[in-house]
Amino acid sequence: MEGYGLFLVLLVSALLLGFLSVLFALVWVFHYREGLSWDGGSAEFNWHPVLIITGFIFIQGIAIIVYRLPWTWKCSKLLIKFIHAGLNTIAMILAIVSLVAVFDFHNAKNIPNMYSLHSWIGLTAVIFYTLQLVLGFAVFLLPFAPVSLRASLMPIHIYSGLLIFATVIATALMGFTEKLIFALKTPAPAYSTSPPEAIFVNTLGLLVVIFGALILWMATRPHWKRPPEQNSKIQQPNGGTPEGTEEESTMTDCSNTDKSDVEFNSEAAARKRNLKLDEGESTYSSSC
């Protein structure tokens, strides 16, 4: 893998920033706000930023780069597909729960729903993310879609996934600012006076932005892409078909794959030698 050391540095940095973002979100709601609960009050609303950062940003980011982890390249691609889909499913569930918390809080306090640009873009991102996940299951995970359809939809699937991820981060930043403007007003310290909560949440926004930038960088470097020859070798031991046209394997033990390759090649060589011996014996008999 080209630039393996740099990849590890970026990966560790992204994981650290992701964990810090989740930690900052928890400190924000427990130290500066009313904590977490499910009673229709402000503490119920606080589930929204915590779950969005945990699921829709951190877990989704890890799901995006799971194919880029080089120590998984000798494992079945189908296994990585299940991991990718599973992480995205968890992220979607957390995002939906976070939306329920917001609507429940607004309804309990008689606050209008869906009036801000943050809410418009956020709900749109959740809807398209759900569609992306459902279509991904139907086309790329289940064995019913033809290969030509998979090949034509793959670039769209990749682009839309990155676009949704970037949109979620931008929407989260809008939400941070909106929350601070509403919460920090006179006679309390106003947002414009940069109170400690404002500085803390602005720092959280920076962490989220840098995390997203690292994920997008790792996901778009072509030399860190899962090698096609590994896909064809693992999923088809005879090495006869390229990536995108192979039959998916359910094998999850990487060592068994290498062993099966050796056994297959040895068996083929033995059959070839026996065939040549048989032909030689037939020729000798006819000449006699």
Side-chain angles (χ1 to χ4, degrees):
M1 180 184 188
E2 180 182 349
Y4 179 71
L6 177 60
F7 178 84
L8 287 182
V9 171
L10 295 179
L11 177 62
V12 172
S13 300
L15 291 175
L16 178 61
L17 289 170
F19 281 120
L20 281 177
S21 299
V22 175
L23 180 62
F24 268 54
L26 291 172
V27 172
W28 178 23
V29 300
F30 279 103
H31 182 69
Y32 293 102
R33 297 290 111 197
E34 293 80 9
L36 296 171
S37 68
W38 201 275
D39 56 3
S42 299
E44 181 176 349
F45 174 87
N46 292 340
W47 281 108
H48 181 65
V50 170
L51 294 181
I52 287 296
I53 293 173
T54 303
F56 222 16
I57 294 178
F58 181 47
I59 295 179
Q60 183 187 176
I62 301 304
I64 288 175
I65 62 170
V66 69
Y67 283 102
R68 300 300 175 108
L69 304 179
W71 46 87
T72 67
W73 288 352
K74 289 187 177 182
C75 297
S76 166
K77 189 177 181 182
L78 185 60
L79 172 64
I80 308 303
K81 284 185 177 183
F82 275 111
I83 296 175
H84 176 75
L87 291 174
N88 279 304
T89 301
I90 294 173
M92 182 194 70
I93 292 173
L94 296 182
I96 292 175
V97 173
S98 75
L99 290 184
V100 174
V102 171
F103 281 104
D104 194 45
F105 167 75
H106 282 184
N107 294 334
K109 299 297 182 180
N110 293 320
I111 299 175
N113 291 307
M114 301 301 300
Y115 63 88
S116 67
L117 181 61
H118 166 73
S119 61
W120 289 10
I121 299 179
L123 183 60
T124 302
V126 173
I127 292 174
F128 276 96
Y129 188 76
T130 304
L131 293 175
Q132 168 94 341
L133 184 61
V134 171
L135 290 176
F137 267 109
V139 175
F140 301 107
L141 199 56
L142 299 179
F144 306 117
V147 173
S148 58
L149 179 62
R150 294 186 181 188
S152 60
L153 290 182
M154 179 58 73
I156 300 175
H157 180 76
I158 295 174
Y159 173 79
S160 59
L162 297 178
L163 177 61
I164 292 172
F165 179 67
T167 302
V168 168
I169 291 178
T171 308
L173 299 180
M174 296 167 59
F176 295 161
T177 303
E178 183 179 296
K179 178 63 177 179
L180 289 175
I181 291 175
F182 289 157
L184 301 178
K185 298 183 292 186
T186 55
Y191 187 23
S192 59
T193 63
S194 297
E197 181 179 358
I199 296 175
F200 185 85
V201 177
N202 287 346
T203 304
L204 169 59
L206 290 177
L207 293 176
V208 169
V209 169
I210 299 173
F211 170 78
L214 293 177
I215 293 297
L216 292 174
W217 181 263
M218 288 186 286
T220 54
R221 298 306 94 192
H223 52 277
W224 290 339
K225 184 179 179 181
R226 181 183 172 98
E229 63 271 11
Q230 289 291 343
N231 295 334
S232 59
K233 177 181 178 181
I234 299 305
Q235 297 175 12
Q236 284 287 344
N238 59 9
T241 54
E243 180 185 18
T245 60
E246 76 278 359
E247 293 292 333
E248 299 290 354
S249 171
T250 57
M251 189 189 318
T252 59
D253 188 345
C254 306
S255 61
N256 288 343
T257 302
D258 297 333
K259 182 178 179 180
S260 63
D261 287 345
V262 175
E263 292 175 351
F264 181 89
N265 293 333
S266 300
E267 182 179 358
R271 290 180 178 178
K272 187 174 181 180
R273 287 194 301 268
N274 292 337
L275 180 61
K276 288 182 177 181
L277 289 175
D278 292 340
E279 291 175 351
E281 290 176 356
S282 300
T283 304
Y284 175 78
S285 301
S286 61
S287 61
C288 293

